[in-house]
């Protein structure tokens, strides 16, 4: 699966939203929380996940990964109108807007219509990813439904058990377990061919994400896969929606944005490592991409930044 290493380095949960759903009978939840990624492990029963591009059925033993930030629904049956809505603040309301947090609370990180439902789903969401992780996630399918192998199922069961536990440092435990479950699921998907849309382009993307500072030209990228520049550029745009040069520019600025939040390097050093000849040219490009100067990005967003591996 493309950019698996970037998913390890990128989304890294910090204070992720983790919840066990306990549901009986007929039900439907509209999810409009604008999260970058949502991971759902079906512990019992089954459900239908609907996005703008279609529907997918998940059963016990499946893990579902939904790429945001667009809305989606999870329901007991196809086409059922929503009974509950999850807005961006992660509170739950009914279709009239009445809050249901207290009335449907079923214990520690547990919510639903009953204490032990016929349908049980463990949900984890990534709301505040690093920028490289956000870019990596956009290369994933809108929905993946994967049957767990014994190792992945063990991670899902452990996360479900820990979600019901309240202890010092528990948020960190849940964050890391969610990371492992996500990576294990994406890795399992990559062992097949159903989600691999263009292996030669994916190999180039992996190399770019592993070393975004590398001074690769479009010609060099094409030669890596023994392709002409024109054929490579066309297939790259079909895979990512961007030209190779535009994608690499965005990747480098995403890498720089994450390093700015880490706070361990000067802006001038980050500019040079991102391939810009001067801090001024870097600042101009960064503001065009992120809407803020590098300095403002560091000052205003640093307090809310997820932890950066190796920072």
């Amino acid at each position: 699966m493309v950019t698996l290493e970037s998913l390890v380095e990128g989304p890294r949960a910090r204070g992720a939203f983790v919840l066990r759903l306990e549901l009986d009978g007929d039900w439907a939840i509209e999810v409009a929380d604008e999260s970058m990624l949502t991971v759902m492990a079906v512990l019992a029963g089954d459900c239908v996940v609907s996005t703008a591009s279609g529907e997918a059925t998940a059963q016990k033993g499946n893990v579902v990964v939904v790429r945001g930030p667009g809305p989606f629904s999870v329901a007991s049956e196809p086409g059922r109108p929503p009974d509950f809505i999850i807005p961006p603040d992660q509170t739950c309301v009914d279709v009239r807007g009445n809050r249901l947090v207290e009335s449907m609370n079923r214990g520690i990180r547990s919510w639903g219509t009953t204490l032990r439902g016929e349908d049980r789903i463990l949900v984890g969401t990534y709301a505040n990813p690093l920028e490289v992780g956000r870019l990596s996630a956009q290369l994933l399918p809108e929905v993946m439904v994967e049957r767990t192998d014994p190792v992945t199922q063990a991670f899902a069961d452990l996360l479900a058990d820990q979600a019901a536990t309240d202890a010092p440092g528990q948020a960190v435990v849940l964050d890391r377990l969610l990371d492992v479950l996500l990576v294990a699921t994406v890795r399992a998907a990559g062992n097949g061919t159903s989600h691999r849309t263009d292996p030669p382009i994916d190999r180039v993307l992996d190399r770019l994400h592993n070393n975004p500072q590398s001074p690769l030209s479009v010609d060099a990228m094409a030669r890596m896969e023994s392709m002409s520049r024109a054929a490579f550029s066309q297939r790259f745009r079909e895979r990512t929606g961007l030209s190779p040069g535009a994608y690499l520019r965005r990747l480098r600025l995403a890498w720089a944005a994450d390093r700015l939040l880490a706070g361990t390097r000067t802006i001038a050093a980050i500019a040079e490592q991102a391939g810009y000849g001067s801090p001024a040219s870097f600042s101009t490009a960064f503001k065009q991409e992120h809407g803020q100067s590098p300095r403002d990005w560091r000052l205003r967003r640093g307090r809310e930044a997820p932890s950066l591996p190796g920072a």
Side-chain angles (χ1 to χ4, degrees), residues 212-213 248-249 252-253 255-256 268-277 282:
Q213 308 99 299
L248 183 54
R249 175 182 178 275
R252 285 172 174 167
L253 290 170
W255 177 91
I270 293 173
E272 181 180 0
Q273 292 166 345
Y276 287 85
F282 168 67

Side-chain angles (χ1 to χ4, degrees), residues 121-141:
I121 305 171
L122 178 67
V123 181
T125 62
Y126 288 81
N128 299 299
L130 293 168
E131 293 303 310
V132 169
R134 188 187 303 274
L135 189 58
S136 301
Q138 293 308 307
L139 297 173
L140 295 176

Side-chain angles (χ1 to χ4, degrees), residues 72-90:
F72 65 95
S73 68
V74 188
S76 58
E77 59 186 4
R80 180 176 175 83
D83 301 291
F84 316 112
I85 301 171
I86 309 296
D89 63 1
Q90 293 288 4

Side-chain angles (χ1 to χ4, degrees), residues 103-223:
S103 63
M104 299 186 70
N105 182 7
R106 296 294 178 258
I108 299 171
R109 300 184 189 88
S110 182
W111 180 94
T113 58
T114 183
L115 286 174
R116 185 101 173 153
E118 296 175 355
D119 298 319
R120 288 187 286 127
I121 305 171
L122 178 67
V123 181
T125 62
Y126 288 81
N128 299 299
L130 293 168
E131 293 303 310
V132 169
R134 188 187 303 274
L135 189 58
S136 301
Q138 293 308 307
L139 297 173
L140 295 176
E142 190 172 50
V143 178
M144 293 192 307
V145 180
E146 296 298 326
R147 174 156 292 281
T148 57
D149 56 25
V151 173
T152 307
Q153 186 61 53
F155 288 136
D157 292 340
L158 182 56
L159 180 57
D161 290 340
Q162 290 297 310
T165 301
D166 200 5
Q170 195 65 13
V172 176
V173 173
L174 296 177
D175 286 347
R176 298 292 75 79
L177 287 174
L178 180 59
D179 288 340
V180 172
L181 180 59
L182 170 64
V183 172
T185 302
V186 175
R187 182 172 59 188
N191 289 334
T193 58
S194 59
H195 299 303
R196 188 170 293 162
T197 59
D198 196 332
I201 302 302
D202 286 352
R203 286 192 292 268
V204 174
L205 285 167
D206 275 332
R207 183 162 178 174
L208 293 178
H209 277 258
N210 289 335
N211 188 14
Q213 308 99 299
S214 176
L216 281 176
S217 65
V218 177
D219 288 334
M221 295 182 207
R223 286 196 298 270

Side-chain angles (χ1 to χ4, degrees), residues 47-51 53-59 64 73-75 143-145:
C47 63
V48 177
V49 180
S50 302
T51 66
S53 61
E55 295 180 344
T57 299
Q59 302 173 335
V64 184
S73 68
V74 188
V143 178
M144 293 192 307
V145 180

